[in-house]
Amino acid sequence: MADQAFVTLATNDSYARGAMVLGKSLRNHNTSRKLVALIGPQVSEPCQSVLKRIYDEVRMVDVLDSGDTAHLAMMKRPDLGVTFTKLHCWTLTHYSKCVFMDADTLVLSNIDELFDREELSAAPDPGWPDCFNSGVFVFCPSMETYGKLLQYCTEHGSFDGGDQGVLNGFFSNWATADISKHLPFIYNLSSIAIYTYLPAFKQYGGNAKVVHFLGKTKPWSYTFDPKAKRITGSTHEATAHPTFLLDWWSLFSSAVVPMLQEQYGDQPFHSGCVEGESFPSHAQALQPQLSSEERKEKWEQGQADYMGMDSFDNIKRKLDTFLK
């Protein structure tokens, strides 16, 4: 299957770390497809070197300097800079079909069956299920589609300011035209959604194939103690289920950090792995107590205290009390 590929995008070193873990997770689950990483010019040399060891193809994309049609479109819509970069995936015409995956996704089992799907196949967004989430989607590279997408960007912009708004506007009949293009949610399980429908997560979560760390706080924003297998960080903004976060960090610390250390050599770099750090037993006790109104606001912004007050166990306890 040399003409099919998984594609991701990393615009800086933080997202490059995410891409490294994603690539490793695809390799660990024995994908037979090629792996492609699109990167921005801000990605450092050491990170580029590690990506080249994991991915079959690492391609630099920078729409601002490209001088192509994207550059012309950019003149009219500078607000959509990163979006234009993501749309570059349609220019990979040496592949017949690809699956795009955001760098903040993690593969939990082999997902090569996604290549049986047609363009544009994607899973519903948990916030508005008549829109698809653009973190995982099946597409067919084509310069014609690329041109039309850029034209759409210039004329209509994006209703959410990013690529998801553009793609949903362009592939506007996704919700109603063909149910076979609706990927099951297990291919793009948003970590935020786990908490909005706990019984369903209990029922189906074990079948998850791809977890997507949506929200402001990404896995690489935390600190990890590999010996104690403990994660700490901005707990009041954590938006990920601790089990999946642990999966991400275990893979990053065991498979990616050694490669980064090799590339950085004597240069200092912060891996996020800190052994023997003294962890408070109740991280949430360090956080200022929120009023119920502030807490509600945090929930609505997708920033609940998932590793503290709003943890899976605490919510389950509350649900059990109501259901008794």
Side-chain angles (χ1 to χ4, degrees):
M1 295 294 177
D3 67 336
Q4 297 184 343
F6 286 101
V7 181
T8 192
L9 168 68
T11 48
N12 56 36
D13 280 6
S14 295
Y15 278 85
R17 290 178 179 206
M20 291 166 199
V21 173
L22 169 62
K24 273 288 183 188
S25 69
L26 282 160
R27 294 272 185 228
N28 286 354
H29 294 294
N30 304 314
T31 180
S32 59
R33 275 30 177 220
K34 296 282 189 187
L35 302 188
V36 179
L38 302 178
I39 60 167
Q42 290 82 16
V43 177
S44 68
E45 284 294 332
C47 285
Q48 287 186 40
S49 300
V50 173
L51 285 169
K52 283 172 184 167
R53 287 176 62 181
I54 299 169
Y55 284 78
D56 298 293
E57 184 180 348
V58 177
R59 179 180 285 212
M60 179 80 73
V61 286
D62 181 14
V63 290
L64 283 168
D65 299 328
S66 62
D68 59 12
T69 42
H71 180 68
L72 297 174
M74 177 71 83
M75 298 297 212
K76 294 181 186 172
R77 302 293 313 206
D79 52 315
L80 295 176
V82 176
T83 297
F84 284 120
T85 312
K86 191 167 182 176
L87 298 182
H88 256 89
C89 64
W90 265 272
T91 67
L92 299 168
T93 51
H94 47 302
Y95 299 107
S96 62
K97 190 183 283 183
C98 296
V99 174
F100 185 90
M101 302 188 74
D102 275 348
D104 58 351
T105 56
L106 175 72
V107 171
L108 306 173
S109 64
N110 186 290
I111 52 169
D112 286 359
E113 67 273 11
L114 287 178
F115 290 91
D116 297 337
R117 303 278 182 153
E118 298 305 315
E119 178 177 88
L120 186 286
S121 292
D125 187 83
W128 192 265
D130 278 350
C131 287
F132 57 84
N133 182 279
S134 61
V136 178
F137 60 85
V138 183
F139 71 100
C140 297
S142 149
M143 290 310 290
E144 187 189 351
T145 308
Y146 176 64
K148 285 178 178 173
L149 276 161
L150 293 177
Q151 192 181 344
Y152 182 89
C153 273
T154 309
E155 291 172 8
H156 305 280
S158 165
F159 67 75
D160 67 356
D163 60 271
Q164 187 159 304
V166 168
L167 292 172
N168 272 280
F170 186 80
F171 295 100
S172 58
N173 66 351
W174 173 85
T176 52
D178 183 355
I179 196 69
S180 72
K181 292 183 180 179
H182 288 223
L183 295 182
F185 196 56
I186 56 167
Y187 289 103
N188 190 352
L189 176 69
S190 104
S191 45
I192 292 172
I194 292 166
Y195 295 90
T196 55
Y197 194 4
L198 274 173
F201 177 67
K202 273 183 76 175
Q203 178 75 9
Y204 303 112
N207 303 322
K209 291 187 169 226
V210 179
V211 64
H212 188 181
F213 297 98
L214 278 177
K216 284 182 187 167
T217 313
K218 300 301 179 191
W220 51 84
S221 311
Y222 296 90
T223 303
F224 178 61
D225 182 338
K227 277 197 175 141
K229 294 265 185 280
R230 297 186 78 170
I231 295 162
T232 188
S234 46
T235 53
H236 62 298
E237 278 194 3
T239 52
H241 191 267
T243 312
F244 295 135
L245 254 189
L246 206 52
D247 289 342
W248 190 95
W249 269 102
S250 298
L251 185 51
F252 178 69
S253 61
S254 63
V256 174
V257 171
M259 286 198 281
L260 283 169
Q261 281 168 337
E262 211 175 292
Q263 290 303 322
Y264 278 98
D266 297 332
Q267 296 175 57
F269 85 101
H270 181 56
S271 69
C273 296
V274 183
E275 287 194 12
E277 191 172 286
S278 55
F279 288 86
S281 54
H282 293 290
Q284 71 270 30
L286 300 177
Q287 304 301 336
Q289 288 302 302
L290 299 175
S291 69
S292 57
E293 196 50 47
E294 286 171 323
R295 207 172 148 206
K296 180 170 172 276
E297 207 174 294
K298 285 276 184 196
W299 264 87
E300 286 166 353
Q301 292 166 358
Q303 295 176 8
D305 179 10
Y306 292 133
M307 291 176 85
M309 204 181 208
D310 304 312
S311 71
F312 185 84
D313 291 335
N314 284 349
I315 296 171
K316 187 175 174 297
R317 264 198 296 276
K318 202 149 206 174
L319 277 175
D320 290 343
T321 314
F322 283 131
L323 295 170
K324 272 175 187 165

